[in-house]
Amino acid sequence: AALPGGVRLMWDTVETVRSFDPEWTPPSGSHQVALAFACDSPAEVDKTYQDLVGSGVRGKKEPWDAPWGQRYATVLDPDGNSLDLFAPLPS
C-alpha cells in the first residue's frame, strides 16, 4: 500500500519469507515486525547495505536478486528486528 509521504507498506506471507530464508521462524515476544525500505536502484541496495554494515549494523542477508524481481538485502536493528532494503531489478 502507498501511504502519504511516499511510504510503502507491505506484508509478506510466511511462505514468501521462507522462500528466501528457509530457517526463518516466527518472532516471539515483542519483535513481530519487519520494515522494508525502497531504494532507487539495485546499486543503491548494495551501497546502503555496505554502508550500514560498515557502520556496525548487523547484516543478516547480503544483497541478492530475489526471484520476484527485486534486489533485496536484510540487516538487523539493535533489537534484532529485520530491516529490508529493496529495489526493482531492470526488466
Side-chain angles (χ1 to χ4, degrees):
L3 303 174
V7 174
R8 294 181 188 162
L9 179 63
M10 66 179 222
W11 289 271
D12 286 329
T13 64
V14 169
E15 180 181 12
T16 299
V17 173
R18 286 196 176 135
S19 74
F20 62 85
D21 188 356
E23 297 176 20
W24 182 84
T25 56
S28 61
S30 63
H31 304 147
Q32 296 187 14
V33 173
L35 298 175
F37 295 91
C39 296
D40 290 333
S41 68
E44 185 179 354
V45 170
D46 294 358
K47 181 181 182 328
T48 302
Y49 178 88
Q50 291 304 321
D51 289 349
L52 289 169
V53 170
S55 70
V57 172
R58 287 186 296 158
K60 180 176 180 189
K61 190 143 178 86
E62 292 186 9
W64 84 98
D65 292 342
W68 55 85
Q70 293 176 331
R71 186 73 173 163
Y72 220 87
T74 304
V75 297
L76 299 174
D77 76 5
D79 294 322
N81 297 303
S82 293
L83 304 171
D84 300 328
L85 307 168
F86 69 95
L89 291 169
S91 318

